[in-house]
PDB file of all heavy atoms in Angstrom:
ATOM      1  N   LEU S 267      16.105   4.922   0.608  1.00 85.00           N
ATOM      2  CA  LEU S 267      14.861   4.478  -0.012  1.00 85.00           C
ATOM      3  C   LEU S 267      15.152   3.790  -1.337  1.00 85.00           C
ATOM      4  O   LEU S 267      16.119   4.118  -2.026  1.00 85.00           O
ATOM      5  CB  LEU S 267      13.939   5.667  -0.243  1.00 85.00           C
ATOM      6  CG  LEU S 267      13.533   6.468   1.004  1.00 85.00           C
ATOM      7  CD1 LEU S 267      12.613   7.620   0.602  1.00 85.00           C
ATOM      8  CD2 LEU S 267      12.867   5.574   2.034  1.00 85.00           C
ATOM      9  N   VAL S 268      14.324   2.835  -1.682  1.00 88.00           N
ATOM     10  CA  VAL S 268      14.455   2.085  -2.923  1.00 88.00           C
ATOM     11  C   VAL S 268      13.165   2.245  -3.718  1.00 88.00           C
ATOM     12  O   VAL S 268      12.068   2.075  -3.180  1.00 88.00           O
ATOM     13  CB  VAL S 268      14.719   0.587  -2.661  1.00 88.00           C
ATOM     14  CG1 VAL S 268      14.789  -0.179  -3.974  1.00 88.00           C
ATOM     15  CG2 VAL S 268      16.005   0.409  -1.859  1.00 88.00           C
ATOM     16  N   THR S 269      13.283   2.583  -4.977  1.00 88.00           N
ATOM     17  CA  THR S 269      12.113   2.736  -5.836  1.00 88.00           C
ATOM     18  C   THR S 269      11.683   1.376  -6.371  1.00 88.00           C
ATOM     19  O   THR S 269      12.491   0.610  -6.899  1.00 88.00           O
ATOM     20  CB  THR S 269      12.417   3.672  -7.015  1.00 88.00           C
ATOM     21  OG1 THR S 269      12.790   4.960  -6.503  1.00 88.00           O
ATOM     22  CG2 THR S 269      11.204   3.822  -7.917  1.00 88.00           C
ATOM     23  N   VAL S 270      10.398   1.061  -6.203  1.00 88.00           N
ATOM     24  CA  VAL S 270       9.839  -0.196  -6.682  1.00 88.00           C
ATOM     25  C   VAL S 270       8.668   0.116  -7.599  1.00 88.00           C
ATOM     26  O   VAL S 270       7.745   0.835  -7.212  1.00 88.00           O
ATOM     27  CB  VAL S 270       9.363  -1.087  -5.515  1.00 88.00           C
ATOM     28  CG1 VAL S 270       8.730  -2.361  -6.051  1.00 88.00           C
ATOM     29  CG2 VAL S 270      10.520  -1.410  -4.585  1.00 88.00           C
ATOM     30  N   THR S 271       8.721  -0.399  -8.802  1.00 89.00           N
ATOM     31  CA  THR S 271       7.638  -0.182  -9.756  1.00 89.00           C
ATOM     32  C   THR S 271       6.717  -1.399  -9.748  1.00 89.00           C
ATOM     33  O   THR S 271       7.161  -2.531  -9.937  1.00 89.00           O
ATOM     34  CB  THR S 271       8.188   0.030 -11.173  1.00 89.00           C
ATOM     35  OG1 THR S 271       9.080   1.151 -11.170  1.00 89.00           O
ATOM     36  CG2 THR S 271       7.057   0.294 -12.150  1.00 89.00           C
ATOM     37  N   ILE S 272       5.445  -1.168  -9.490  1.00 89.00           N
ATOM     38  CA  ILE S 272       4.490  -2.268  -9.416  1.00 89.00           C
ATOM     39  C   ILE S 272       3.153  -1.803  -9.966  1.00 89.00           C
ATOM     40  O   ILE S 272       2.787  -0.636  -9.832  1.00 89.00           O
ATOM     41  CB  ILE S 272       4.326  -2.754  -7.953  1.00 89.00           C
ATOM     42  CG1 ILE S 272       3.404  -3.971  -7.892  1.00 89.00           C
ATOM     43  CG2 ILE S 272       3.827  -1.640  -7.053  1.00 89.00           C
ATOM     44  CD1 ILE S 272       3.365  -4.617  -6.535  1.00 89.00           C
ATOM     45  N   LYS S 273       2.444  -2.705 -10.630  1.00 92.00           N
ATOM     46  CA  LYS S 273       1.151  -2.367 -11.223  1.00 92.00           C
ATOM     47  C   LYS S 273       0.016  -2.952 -10.372  1.00 92.00           C
ATOM     48  O   LYS S 273       0.126  -4.054  -9.846  1.00 92.00           O
ATOM     49  CB  LYS S 273       1.063  -2.903 -12.649  1.00 92.00           C
ATOM     50  CG  LYS S 273       2.032  -2.225 -13.620  1.00 92.00           C
ATOM     51  CD  LYS S 273       1.841  -2.743 -15.039  1.00 92.00           C
ATOM     52  CE  LYS S 273       2.776  -2.025 -16.003  1.00 92.00           C
ATOM     53  NZ  LYS S 273       2.601  -2.491 -17.399  1.00 92.00           N
ATOM     54  N   PHE S 274      -1.054  -2.174 -10.241  1.00 92.00           N
ATOM     55  CA  PHE S 274      -2.235  -2.588  -9.506  1.00 92.00           C
ATOM     56  C   PHE S 274      -3.441  -2.572 -10.445  1.00 92.00           C
ATOM     57  O   PHE S 274      -3.491  -1.770 -11.380  1.00 92.00           O
ATOM     58  CB  PHE S 274      -2.511  -1.634  -8.337  1.00 92.00           C
ATOM     59  CG  PHE S 274      -1.533  -1.742  -7.209  1.00 92.00           C
ATOM     60  CD1 PHE S 274      -0.405  -0.935  -7.174  1.00 92.00           C
ATOM     61  CD2 PHE S 274      -1.745  -2.636  -6.167  1.00 92.00           C
ATOM     62  CE1 PHE S 274       0.495  -1.013  -6.137  1.00 92.00           C
ATOM     63  CE2 PHE S 274      -0.846  -2.727  -5.121  1.00 92.00           C
ATOM     64  CZ  PHE S 274       0.274  -1.916  -5.101  1.00 92.00           C
ATOM     65  N   PRO S 275      -4.443  -3.394 -10.175  1.00 94.00           N
ATOM     66  CA  PRO S 275      -5.694  -3.280 -10.934  1.00 94.00           C
ATOM     67  C   PRO S 275      -6.317  -1.900 -10.725  1.00 94.00           C
ATOM     68  O   PRO S 275      -6.204  -1.320  -9.636  1.00 94.00           O
ATOM     69  CB  PRO S 275      -6.571  -4.387 -10.328  1.00 94.00           C
ATOM     70  CG  PRO S 275      -5.607  -5.352  -9.721  1.00 94.00           C
ATOM     71  CD  PRO S 275      -4.456  -4.527  -9.242  1.00 94.00           C
ATOM     72  N   ALA S 276      -6.959  -1.387 -11.742  1.00 95.00           N
ATOM     73  CA  ALA S 276      -7.546  -0.050 -11.666  1.00 95.00           C
ATOM     74  C   ALA S 276      -8.552   0.057 -10.529  1.00 95.00           C
ATOM     75  O   ALA S 276      -8.630   1.083  -9.843  1.00 95.00           O
ATOM     76  CB  ALA S 276      -8.207   0.300 -13.003  1.00 95.00           C
ATOM     77  N   SER S 277      -9.322  -1.008 -10.310  1.00 95.00           N
ATOM     78  CA  SER S 277     -10.328  -0.974  -9.250  1.00 95.00           C
ATOM     79  C   SER S 277      -9.678  -0.866  -7.871  1.00 95.00           C
ATOM     80  O   SER S 277     -10.214  -0.222  -6.967  1.00 95.00           O
ATOM     81  CB  SER S 277     -11.200  -2.233  -9.303  1.00 95.00           C
ATOM     82  OG  SER S 277     -10.395  -3.403  -9.161  1.00 95.00           O
ATOM     83  N   MET S 278      -8.510  -1.477  -7.701  1.00 94.00           N
ATOM     84  CA  MET S 278      -7.817  -1.411  -6.417  1.00 94.00           C
ATOM     85  C   MET S 278      -7.302   0.005  -6.161  1.00 94.00           C
ATOM     86  O   MET S 278      -7.415   0.523  -5.043  1.00 94.00           O
ATOM     87  CB  MET S 278      -6.664  -2.415  -6.383  1.00 94.00           C
ATOM     88  CG  MET S 278      -5.965  -2.515  -5.035  1.00 94.00           C
ATOM     89  SD  MET S 278      -4.656  -3.778  -5.031  1.00 94.00           S
ATOM     90  CE  MET S 278      -5.633  -5.273  -5.238  1.00 94.00           C
ATOM     91  N   ILE S 279      -6.740   0.632  -7.186  1.00 93.00           N
ATOM     92  CA  ILE S 279      -6.267   1.999  -7.029  1.00 93.00           C
ATOM     93  C   ILE S 279      -7.438   2.953  -6.768  1.00 93.00           C
ATOM     94  O   ILE S 279      -7.323   3.901  -5.978  1.00 93.00           O
ATOM     95  CB  ILE S 279      -5.489   2.449  -8.282  1.00 93.00           C
ATOM     96  CG1 ILE S 279      -4.195   1.629  -8.397  1.00 93.00           C
ATOM     97  CG2 ILE S 279      -5.155   3.927  -8.215  1.00 93.00           C
ATOM     98  CD1 ILE S 279      -3.265   1.769  -7.216  1.00 93.00           C
ATOM     99  N   ALA S 280      -8.571   2.688  -7.402  1.00 94.00           N
ATOM    100  CA  ALA S 280      -9.751   3.519  -7.159  1.00 94.00           C
ATOM    101  C   ALA S 280     -10.185   3.409  -5.700  1.00 94.00           C
ATOM    102  O   ALA S 280     -10.566   4.405  -5.075  1.00 94.00           O
ATOM    103  CB  ALA S 280     -10.889   3.098  -8.081  1.00 94.00           C
ATOM    104  N   ALA S 281     -10.099   2.185  -5.152  1.00 94.00           N
ATOM    105  CA  ALA S 281     -10.452   1.987  -3.749  1.00 94.00           C
ATOM    106  C   ALA S 281      -9.469   2.697  -2.834  1.00 94.00           C
ATOM    107  O   ALA S 281      -9.857   3.261  -1.801  1.00 94.00           O
ATOM    108  CB  ALA S 281     -10.485   0.493  -3.434  1.00 94.00           C
ATOM    109  N   VAL S 282      -8.195   2.700  -3.202  1.00 93.00           N
ATOM    110  CA  VAL S 282      -7.181   3.411  -2.416  1.00 93.00           C
ATOM    111  C   VAL S 282      -7.463   4.906  -2.433  1.00 93.00           C
ATOM    112  O   VAL S 282      -7.415   5.581  -1.398  1.00 93.00           O
ATOM    113  CB  VAL S 282      -5.766   3.117  -2.963  1.00 93.00           C
ATOM    114  CG1 VAL S 282      -4.746   4.053  -2.322  1.00 93.00           C
ATOM    115  CG2 VAL S 282      -5.387   1.664  -2.711  1.00 93.00           C
ATOM    116  N   ASP S 283      -7.773   5.434  -3.614  1.00 94.00           N
ATOM    117  CA  ASP S 283      -8.031   6.869  -3.740  1.00 94.00           C
ATOM    118  C   ASP S 283      -9.256   7.301  -2.951  1.00 94.00           C
ATOM    119  O   ASP S 283      -9.346   8.447  -2.505  1.00 94.00           O
ATOM    120  CB  ASP S 283      -8.183   7.248  -5.209  1.00 94.00           C
ATOM    121  CG  ASP S 283      -6.872   7.128  -5.979  1.00 94.00           C
ATOM    122  OD1 ASP S 283      -5.809   7.121  -5.325  1.00 94.00           O
ATOM    123  OD2 ASP S 283      -6.917   7.024  -7.219  1.00 94.00           O
ATOM    124  N   GLU S 284     -10.212   6.391  -2.780  1.00 94.00           N
ATOM    125  CA  GLU S 284     -11.393   6.720  -1.989  1.00 94.00           C
ATOM    126  C   GLU S 284     -11.062   6.857  -0.509  1.00 94.00           C
ATOM    127  O   GLU S 284     -11.746   7.571   0.223  1.00 94.00           O
ATOM    128  CB  GLU S 284     -12.465   5.636  -2.165  1.00 94.00           C
ATOM    129  CG  GLU S 284     -13.126   5.631  -3.534  1.00 94.00           C
ATOM    130  CD  GLU S 284     -14.145   4.525  -3.655  1.00 94.00           C
ATOM    131  OE1 GLU S 284     -14.310   3.759  -2.675  1.00 94.00           O
ATOM    132  OE2 GLU S 284     -14.780   4.409  -4.721  1.00 94.00           O
ATOM    133  N   ARG S 285     -10.004   6.175  -0.087  1.00 92.00           N
ATOM    134  CA  ARG S 285      -9.652   6.131   1.333  1.00 92.00           C
ATOM    135  C   ARG S 285      -8.561   7.127   1.710  1.00 92.00           C
ATOM    136  O   ARG S 285      -8.364   7.407   2.890  1.00 92.00           O
ATOM    137  CB  ARG S 285      -9.219   4.718   1.715  1.00 92.00           C
ATOM    138  CG  ARG S 285     -10.358   3.713   1.678  1.00 92.00           C
ATOM    139  CD  ARG S 285      -9.852   2.280   1.657  1.00 92.00           C
ATOM    140  NE  ARG S 285     -10.935   1.319   1.790  1.00 92.00           N
ATOM    141  CZ  ARG S 285     -11.748   0.975   0.812  1.00 92.00           C
ATOM    142  NH1 ARG S 285     -11.617   1.532  -0.393  1.00 92.00           N
ATOM    143  NH2 ARG S 285     -12.705   0.096   1.003  1.00 92.00           N
ATOM    144  N   SER S 286      -7.826   7.620   0.725  1.00 91.00           N
ATOM    145  CA  SER S 286      -6.712   8.512   1.048  1.00 91.00           C
ATOM    146  C   SER S 286      -6.431   9.444  -0.112  1.00 91.00           C
ATOM    147  O   SER S 286      -6.586   9.070  -1.281  1.00 91.00           O
ATOM    148  CB  SER S 286      -5.461   7.691   1.374  1.00 91.00           C
ATOM    149  OG  SER S 286      -4.336   8.521   1.562  1.00 91.00           O
ATOM    150  N   SER S 287      -6.012  10.641   0.231  1.00 90.00           N
ATOM    151  CA  SER S 287      -5.626  11.607  -0.799  1.00 90.00           C
ATOM    152  C   SER S 287      -4.189  11.385  -1.260  1.00 90.00           C
ATOM    153  O   SER S 287      -3.757  11.967  -2.250  1.00 90.00           O
ATOM    154  CB  SER S 287      -5.780  13.035  -0.262  1.00 90.00           C
ATOM    155  OG  SER S 287      -4.962  13.212   0.895  1.00 90.00           O
ATOM    156  N   ASP S 288      -3.452  10.553  -0.539  1.00 90.00           N
ATOM    157  CA  ASP S 288      -2.062  10.244  -0.881  1.00 90.00           C
ATOM    158  C   ASP S 288      -1.939   8.733  -1.069  1.00 90.00           C
ATOM    159  O   ASP S 288      -1.742   7.979  -0.129  1.00 90.00           O
ATOM    160  CB  ASP S 288      -1.120  10.717   0.238  1.00 90.00           C
ATOM    161  CG  ASP S 288       0.349  10.583  -0.140  1.00 90.00           C
ATOM    162  OD1 ASP S 288       0.668   9.799  -1.051  1.00 90.00           O
ATOM    163  OD2 ASP S 288       1.188  11.246   0.498  1.00 90.00           O
ATOM    164  N   ARG S 289      -2.094   8.282  -2.310  1.00 90.00           N
ATOM    165  CA  ARG S 289      -2.102   6.847  -2.567  1.00 90.00           C
ATOM    166  C   ARG S 289      -0.775   6.183  -2.235  1.00 90.00           C
ATOM    167  O   ARG S 289      -0.742   5.039  -1.777  1.00 90.00           O
ATOM    168  CB  ARG S 289      -2.471   6.553  -4.016  1.00 90.00           C
ATOM    169  CG  ARG S 289      -1.483   7.084  -5.031  1.00 90.00           C
ATOM    170  CD  ARG S 289      -1.788   6.613  -6.440  1.00 90.00           C
ATOM    171  NE  ARG S 289      -3.112   7.003  -6.903  1.00 90.00           N
ATOM    172  CZ  ARG S 289      -3.475   6.973  -8.191  1.00 90.00           C
ATOM    173  NH1 ARG S 289      -2.594   6.579  -9.119  1.00 90.00           N
ATOM    174  NH2 ARG S 289      -4.685   7.332  -8.547  1.00 90.00           N
ATOM    175  N   PHE S 290       0.334   6.914  -2.425  1.00 89.00           N
ATOM    176  CA  PHE S 290       1.640   6.314  -2.160  1.00 89.00           C
ATOM    177  C   PHE S 290       1.846   6.087  -0.663  1.00 89.00           C
ATOM    178  O   PHE S 290       2.356   5.052  -0.239  1.00 89.00           O
ATOM    179  CB  PHE S 290       2.741   7.199  -2.737  1.00 89.00           C
ATOM    180  CG  PHE S 290       2.592   7.452  -4.207  1.00 89.00           C
ATOM    181  CD1 PHE S 290       2.174   8.689  -4.675  1.00 89.00           C
ATOM    182  CD2 PHE S 290       2.826   6.435  -5.116  1.00 89.00           C
ATOM    183  CE1 PHE S 290       2.007   8.911  -6.031  1.00 89.00           C
ATOM    184  CE2 PHE S 290       2.672   6.657  -6.481  1.00 89.00           C
ATOM    185  CZ  PHE S 290       2.257   7.902  -6.937  1.00 89.00           C
ATOM    186  N   ASP S 291       1.439   7.056   0.143  1.00 89.00           N
ATOM    187  CA  ASP S 291       1.534   6.895   1.592  1.00 89.00           C
ATOM    188  C   ASP S 291       0.622   5.782   2.067  1.00 89.00           C
ATOM    189  O   ASP S 291       0.988   5.000   2.947  1.00 89.00           O
ATOM    190  CB  ASP S 291       1.167   8.204   2.290  1.00 89.00           C
ATOM    191  CG  ASP S 291       1.210   8.077   3.801  1.00 89.00           C
ATOM    192  OD1 ASP S 291       2.321   7.889   4.344  1.00 89.00           O
ATOM    193  OD2 ASP S 291       0.140   8.149   4.437  1.00 89.00           O
ATOM    194  N   TYR S 292      -0.554   5.680   1.491  1.00 93.00           N
ATOM    195  CA  TYR S 292      -1.505   4.635   1.873  1.00 93.00           C
ATOM    196  C   TYR S 292      -0.927   3.249   1.577  1.00 93.00           C
ATOM    197  O   TYR S 292      -1.005   2.339   2.405  1.00 93.00           O
ATOM    198  CB  TYR S 292      -2.821   4.818   1.121  1.00 93.00           C
ATOM    199  CG  TYR S 292      -3.913   3.866   1.521  1.00 93.00           C
ATOM    200  CD1 TYR S 292      -4.820   4.204   2.526  1.00 93.00           C
ATOM    201  CD2 TYR S 292      -4.042   2.627   0.910  1.00 93.00           C
ATOM    202  CE1 TYR S 292      -5.831   3.330   2.899  1.00 93.00           C
ATOM    203  CE2 TYR S 292      -5.042   1.742   1.279  1.00 93.00           C
ATOM    204  CZ  TYR S 292      -5.937   2.099   2.274  1.00 93.00           C
ATOM    205  OH  TYR S 292      -6.926   1.214   2.644  1.00 93.00           O
ATOM    206  N   ILE S 293      -0.340   3.088   0.407  1.00 92.00           N
ATOM    207  CA  ILE S 293       0.234   1.790   0.029  1.00 92.00           C
ATOM    208  C   ILE S 293       1.420   1.441   0.917  1.00 92.00           C
ATOM    209  O   ILE S 293       1.588   0.302   1.342  1.00 92.00           O
ATOM    210  CB  ILE S 293       0.642   1.803  -1.458  1.00 92.00           C
ATOM    211  CG1 ILE S 293      -0.606   1.900  -2.337  1.00 92.00           C
ATOM    212  CG2 ILE S 293       1.438   0.544  -1.810  1.00 92.00           C
ATOM    213  CD1 ILE S 293      -0.311   2.117  -3.812  1.00 92.00           C
ATOM    214  N   ARG S 294       2.272   2.449   1.223  1.00 90.00           N
ATOM    215  CA  ARG S 294       3.404   2.197   2.114  1.00 90.00           C
ATOM    216  C   ARG S 294       2.923   1.719   3.482  1.00 90.00           C
ATOM    217  O   ARG S 294       3.470   0.774   4.053  1.00 90.00           O
ATOM    218  CB  ARG S 294       4.256   3.463   2.255  1.00 90.00           C
ATOM    219  CG  ARG S 294       5.247   3.693   1.133  1.00 90.00           C
ATOM    220  CD  ARG S 294       6.237   4.777   1.505  1.00 90.00           C
ATOM    221  NE  ARG S 294       5.576   6.072   1.648  1.00 90.00           N
ATOM    222  CZ  ARG S 294       5.456   6.956   0.678  1.00 90.00           C
ATOM    223  NH1 ARG S 294       5.941   6.705  -0.521  1.00 90.00           N
ATOM    224  NH2 ARG S 294       4.857   8.122   0.900  1.00 90.00           N
ATOM    225  N   ARG S 295       1.896   2.392   4.013  1.00 91.00           N
ATOM    226  CA  ARG S 295       1.389   2.010   5.329  1.00 91.00           C
ATOM    227  C   ARG S 295       0.740   0.637   5.294  1.00 91.00           C
ATOM    228  O   ARG S 295       0.833  -0.135   6.252  1.00 91.00           O
ATOM    229  CB  ARG S 295       0.400   3.059   5.833  1.00 91.00           C
ATOM    230  CG  ARG S 295       1.074   4.373   6.243  1.00 91.00           C
ATOM    231  CD  ARG S 295       0.136   5.338   6.933  1.00 91.00           C
ATOM    232  NE  ARG S 295      -0.841   5.908   6.012  1.00 91.00           N
ATOM    233  CZ  ARG S 295      -2.130   5.598   5.999  1.00 91.00           C
ATOM    234  NH1 ARG S 295      -2.603   4.707   6.845  1.00 91.00           N
ATOM    235  NH2 ARG S 295      -2.953   6.173   5.133  1.00 91.00           N
ATOM    236  N   ALA S 296       0.087   0.306   4.178  1.00 94.00           N
ATOM    237  CA  ALA S 296      -0.529  -1.012   4.048  1.00 94.00           C
ATOM    238  C   ALA S 296       0.523  -2.116   4.020  1.00 94.00           C
ATOM    239  O   ALA S 296       0.363  -3.167   4.654  1.00 94.00           O
ATOM    240  CB  ALA S 296      -1.386  -1.067   2.780  1.00 94.00           C
ATOM    241  N   VAL S 297       1.615  -1.882   3.298  1.00 92.00           N
ATOM    242  CA  VAL S 297       2.709  -2.868   3.250  1.00 92.00           C
ATOM    243  C   VAL S 297       3.343  -3.024   4.629  1.00 92.00           C
ATOM    244  O   VAL S 297       3.628  -4.133   5.083  1.00 92.00           O
ATOM    245  CB  VAL S 297       3.762  -2.448   2.203  1.00 92.00           C
ATOM    246  CG1 VAL S 297       4.995  -3.340   2.292  1.00 92.00           C
ATOM    247  CG2 VAL S 297       3.162  -2.502   0.803  1.00 92.00           C
ATOM    248  N   ALA S 298       3.591  -1.896   5.320  1.00 89.00           N
ATOM    249  CA  ALA S 298       4.181  -1.950   6.655  1.00 89.00           C
ATOM    250  C   ALA S 298       3.289  -2.718   7.618  1.00 89.00           C
ATOM    251  O   ALA S 298       3.767  -3.513   8.435  1.00 89.00           O
ATOM    252  CB  ALA S 298       4.428  -0.533   7.173  1.00 89.00           C
ATOM    253  N   ALA S 299       1.973  -2.500   7.512  1.00 92.00           N
ATOM    254  CA  ALA S 299       1.030  -3.208   8.390  1.00 92.00           C
ATOM    255  C   ALA S 299       1.040  -4.707   8.110  1.00 92.00           C
ATOM    256  O   ALA S 299       0.970  -5.528   9.034  1.00 92.00           O
ATOM    257  CB  ALA S 299      -0.379  -2.650   8.210  1.00 92.00           C
ATOM    258  N   ALA S 300       1.149  -5.074   6.829  1.00 94.00           N
ATOM    259  CA  ALA S 300       1.168  -6.493   6.467  1.00 94.00           C
ATOM    260  C   ALA S 300       2.439  -7.173   6.985  1.00 94.00           C
ATOM    261  O   ALA S 300       2.408  -8.290   7.496  1.00 94.00           O
ATOM    262  CB  ALA S 300       1.066  -6.648   4.950  1.00 94.00           C
ATOM    263  N   ILE S 301       3.578  -6.485   6.853  1.00 92.00           N
ATOM    264  CA  ILE S 301       4.840  -7.040   7.354  1.00 92.00           C
ATOM    265  C   ILE S 301       4.791  -7.195   8.866  1.00 92.00           C
ATOM    266  O   ILE S 301       5.228  -8.208   9.420  1.00 92.00           O
ATOM    267  CB  ILE S 301       6.019  -6.134   6.942  1.00 92.00           C
ATOM    268  CG1 ILE S 301       6.198  -6.171   5.422  1.00 92.00           C
ATOM    269  CG2 ILE S 301       7.303  -6.561   7.639  1.00 92.00           C
ATOM    270  CD1 ILE S 301       7.255  -5.208   4.914  1.00 92.00           C
ATOM    271  N   PHE S 302       4.230  -6.195   9.536  1.00 90.00           N
ATOM    272  CA  PHE S 302       4.113  -6.262  10.992  1.00 90.00           C
ATOM    273  C   PHE S 302       3.209  -7.413  11.419  1.00 90.00           C
ATOM    274  O   PHE S 302       3.517  -8.149  12.366  1.00 90.00           O
ATOM    275  CB  PHE S 302       3.564  -4.938  11.518  1.00 90.00           C
ATOM    276  CG  PHE S 302       3.429  -4.879  13.006  1.00 90.00           C
ATOM    277  CD1 PHE S 302       4.552  -4.803  13.816  1.00 90.00           C
ATOM    278  CD2 PHE S 302       2.179  -4.907  13.608  1.00 90.00           C
ATOM    279  CE1 PHE S 302       4.430  -4.754  15.195  1.00 90.00           C
ATOM    280  CE2 PHE S 302       2.052  -4.855  14.971  1.00 90.00           C
ATOM    281  CZ  PHE S 302       3.183  -4.776  15.779  1.00 90.00           C
ATOM    282  N   ALA S 303       2.092  -7.603  10.708  1.00 92.00           N
ATOM    283  CA  ALA S 303       1.179  -8.701  11.031  1.00 92.00           C
ATOM    284  C   ALA S 303       1.854 -10.053  10.822  1.00 92.00           C
ATOM    285  O   ALA S 303       1.692 -10.976  11.632  1.00 92.00           O
ATOM    286  CB  ALA S 303      -0.083  -8.595  10.173  1.00 92.00           C
ATOM    287  N   ASP S 304       2.633 -10.174   9.743  1.00 94.00           N
ATOM    288  CA  ASP S 304       3.360 -11.429   9.489  1.00 94.00           C
ATOM    289  C   ASP S 304       4.367 -11.705  10.607  1.00 94.00           C
ATOM    290  O   ASP S 304       4.525 -12.849  11.042  1.00 94.00           O
ATOM    291  CB  ASP S 304       4.088 -11.356   8.143  1.00 94.00           C
ATOM    292  CG  ASP S 304       3.144 -11.502   6.966  1.00 94.00           C
ATOM    293  OD1 ASP S 304       2.004 -11.940   7.179  1.00 94.00           O
ATOM    294  OD2 ASP S 304       3.551 -11.169   5.843  1.00 94.00           O
ATOM    295  N   ALA S 305       5.060 -10.665  11.054  1.00 91.00           N
ATOM    296  CA  ALA S 305       6.044 -10.835  12.123  1.00 91.00           C
ATOM    297  C   ALA S 305       5.373 -11.299  13.414  1.00 91.00           C
ATOM    298  O   ALA S 305       5.885 -12.185  14.114  1.00 91.00           O
ATOM    299  CB  ALA S 305       6.797  -9.524  12.364  1.00 91.00           C
ATOM    300  N   CYS S 306       4.212 -10.729  13.722  1.00 92.00           N
ATOM    301  CA  CYS S 306       3.479 -11.142  14.927  1.00 92.00           C
ATOM    302  C   CYS S 306       3.021 -12.593  14.812  1.00 92.00           C
ATOM    303  O   CYS S 306       3.096 -13.362  15.783  1.00 92.00           O
ATOM    304  CB  CYS S 306       2.283 -10.225  15.149  1.00 92.00           C
ATOM    305  SG  CYS S 306       2.712  -8.521  15.586  1.00 92.00           S
ATOM    306  N   GLU S 307       2.554 -12.971  13.634  1.00 94.00           N
ATOM    307  CA  GLU S 307       2.098 -14.344  13.420  1.00 94.00           C
ATOM    308  C   GLU S 307       3.257 -15.332  13.543  1.00 94.00           C
ATOM    309  O   GLU S 307       3.117 -16.407  14.144  1.00 94.00           O
ATOM    310  CB  GLU S 307       1.443 -14.459  12.047  1.00 94.00           C
ATOM    311  CG  GLU S 307       0.835 -15.839  11.773  1.00 94.00           C
ATOM    312  CD  GLU S 307       0.110 -15.906  10.443  1.00 94.00           C
ATOM    313  OE1 GLU S 307      -0.124 -14.836   9.837  1.00 94.00           O
ATOM    314  OE2 GLU S 307      -0.219 -17.018  10.005  1.00 94.00           O
ATOM    315  N   MET S 308       4.413 -14.966  12.996  1.00 94.00           N
ATOM    316  CA  MET S 308       5.587 -15.835  13.095  1.00 94.00           C
ATOM    317  C   MET S 308       6.032 -15.987  14.546  1.00 94.00           C
ATOM    318  O   MET S 308       6.412 -17.082  14.980  1.00 94.00           O
ATOM    319  CB  MET S 308       6.725 -15.269  12.245  1.00 94.00           C
ATOM    320  CG  MET S 308       6.482 -15.338  10.757  1.00 94.00           C
ATOM    321  SD  MET S 308       7.750 -14.452   9.796  1.00 94.00           S
ATOM    322  CE  MET S 308       9.221 -15.365  10.273  1.00 94.00           C
TER     323      MET S 308
END
């Protein structure tokens, strides 16, 4: 695993927290879904 430090707007993190109790897992799954969608499009 590689640690990546990134900043998000407060409103975006608030939206993440509304959807999941684990914001880090939610963000990881969102990134994985985006990469998968890009691969399908390519």
